[in-house]
């Protein structure tokens, strides 16, 4: 604002840190644990948690000592998805791919060094990928993330990712040169491949949604290696490309600004 350096409001910043920490945990956390990880004095954190509990953003367990997200967080998250133009626009694409292959289909969005699941369609098979809307995964270890990283220069990717790269499985690409080589191959073929890099025994293929430049959203289809028969990769890649190309004409209906929380570089 007017060239002045912005200084976040401390109380608001701490409140958001608590929300983000609880969202990332996947389980309830104690006051001591939160205070230590967020470097917030226990007395201040206790007041923040009580205020958030009163407003429904945080809930405590029966002992009153462990805290997790409250129903208000769910309401706001659901409202975000309901009003997101891209999620609505690509819903039909996800439906079509799910009906064609009967496998798990995701819409993902780049968020800094991670990719966030924005929407999904479940596999019809008992053996399937576990995932949840809102889950965050390292972009370098997923087909969704890699196809979006490939939309950017290697220099931009270098500044975007968190180094050293985390290994989710023995097949996760963690070497920088190997990753840049993989991204180059992704650009050439037009789709990304996750070959057991995120989950052992699972392959995933993804294409970028051509709604922003560079793209911030992508669509993927995941399938167990055991069901990946001859020629199926090509069929999946072709179906993904055809599906997202159908929404290219809708690009003019969306804002030029990439949807939050994506980081476009």
């Amino acid at each position: 604002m007017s060239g002045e350096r912005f200084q976040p409001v401390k109380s608001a910043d701490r409140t958001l840190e608590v929300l983000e920490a609880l969202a990332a945990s996947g389980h309830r956390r104690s006051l001591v644990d939160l205070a230590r990880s967020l470097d917030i004095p226990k007395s201040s954190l206790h007041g923040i948690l009580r205020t958030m509990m009163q407003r429904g953003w945080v809930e405590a367990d029966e002992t009153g000592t462990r805290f997790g997200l409250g129903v208000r967080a769910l309401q706001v998250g659901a409202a975000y998805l309901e009003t997101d133009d891209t999620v609505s626009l690509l819903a039909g694409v996800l439906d079509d791919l799910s009906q064609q292959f009967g496998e798990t289909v995701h819409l993902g969005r780049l968020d800094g060094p991670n990719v966030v699941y924005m929407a999904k369609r479940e596999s019809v098979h008992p053996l399937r990928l576990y995932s949840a809307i809102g889950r965050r995964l390292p972009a370098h270890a997923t087909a969704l993330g890699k196809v979006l990283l490939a939309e950017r220069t290697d220099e931009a990717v270098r500044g975007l990712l968190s180094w050293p790269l985390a290994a989710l499985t023995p097949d996760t690409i963690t070497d920088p040169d190997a990753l840049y080589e993989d991204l180059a191959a992704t650009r050439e073929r037009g789709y990304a491949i996750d070959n057991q890099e995120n989950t052992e025994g699972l392959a995933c293929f993804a294409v970028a949604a051509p709604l922003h430049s560079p793209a911030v959203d992508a669509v993927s289809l995941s399938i167990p290696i055991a069901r990946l028969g001859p020629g199926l990769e090509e069929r999946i890649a072709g179906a993904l490309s055809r599906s997202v190309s159908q929404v290219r004409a809708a690009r003019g209906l969306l804002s030029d600004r990439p949807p939050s929380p994506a980081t476009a570089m």
Side-chain angles (χ1 to χ4, degrees):
M1 297 173 61
S2 303
E4 297 180 5
R5 184 178 177 182
F6 173 70
Q7 292 293 331
V9 177
K10 190 172 184 180
S11 59
D13 203 41
R14 283 183 167 178
T15 300
L16 294 174
E17 284 183 348
V18 173
L19 281 174
E20 291 171 357
L22 293 177
S25 297
H27 58 82
R28 295 183 185 274
R29 299 179 63 176
S30 68
L31 177 68
V32 173
D33 179 30
L34 283 169
R36 183 185 302 116
S37 64
L38 298 177
D39 194 25
I40 299 177
K42 286 190 292 183
S43 58
S44 299
L45 180 58
H46 185 260
I48 293 172
L49 288 170
R50 289 199 60 177
T51 301
M52 295 170 73
M53 288 176 63
Q54 188 177 43
R55 298 292 297 267
W57 286 92
V58 169
E59 295 176 353
D61 65 4
E62 295 179 354
T63 67
T65 60
R66 301 186 68 82
F67 305 90
L69 292 178
V71 69
R72 194 70 66 205
L74 172 62
Q75 291 176 321
V76 171
Y80 175 83
L81 293 175
E82 289 173 0
T83 58
D84 187 279
D85 291 340
T86 302
V87 173
S88 300
L89 187 62
L90 293 174
V93 169
L94 302 188
D95 292 338
D96 289 344
L97 290 167
S98 177
Q99 291 169 9
Q100 284 186 60
F101 296 97
E103 301 291 351
T104 304
V105 181
H106 283 110
L107 168 62
R109 180 166 295 166
L110 193 63
D111 180 21
N114 302 302
V115 66
V116 181
Y117 289 146
M118 302 296 292
K120 66 175 292 190
R121 300 294 184 271
E122 292 282 7
S123 168
V124 299
H125 303 281
L127 177 61
R128 67 180 74 173
L129 167 70
Y130 165 75
S131 64
I133 295 174
R135 187 182 183 194
R136 295 161 59 88
L137 291 168
H140 72 276
T142 66
L144 284 167
K146 289 197 294 181
V147 79
L148 293 171
L149 293 177
E151 291 269 314
R152 290 144 176 84
T153 65
D154 288 349
E155 182 180 357
V157 171
R158 189 177 300 113
L160 187 64
L161 296 182
S162 298
W163 306 90
L165 300 176
L168 275 60
T169 76
D171 294 301
T172 304
I173 299 174
T174 57
D175 177 72
D177 291 337
L179 178 62
Y180 299 142
E181 184 178 339
D182 188 277
L183 296 181
T186 296
R187 296 182 190 106
E188 184 173 351
R189 80 170 75 91
Y191 64 95
I193 302 173
D194 159 11
N195 186 15
Q196 305 187 77
E197 297 159 48
N198 173 37
T199 303
E200 292 187 64
L202 197 75
C204 186
F205 308 94
V207 296
L211 299 174
H212 297 277
S213 183
V216 294
D217 298 293
V219 176
S220 71
L221 187 144
S222 301
I223 181 172
I225 296 293
R227 289 202 293 270
L228 190 60
L232 189 51
E233 175 183 331
E234 290 74 18
R235 284 182 52 211
I236 292 172
L240 283 166
S241 297
R242 288 190 298 273
S243 295
V244 298
S245 67
Q246 297 172 6
V247 302
R248 189 183 300 271
R251 180 172 175 173
L253 301 177
L254 301 178
S255 168
D256 289 335
R257 172 183 287 184
S260 177
T263 300
M265 298 184 66

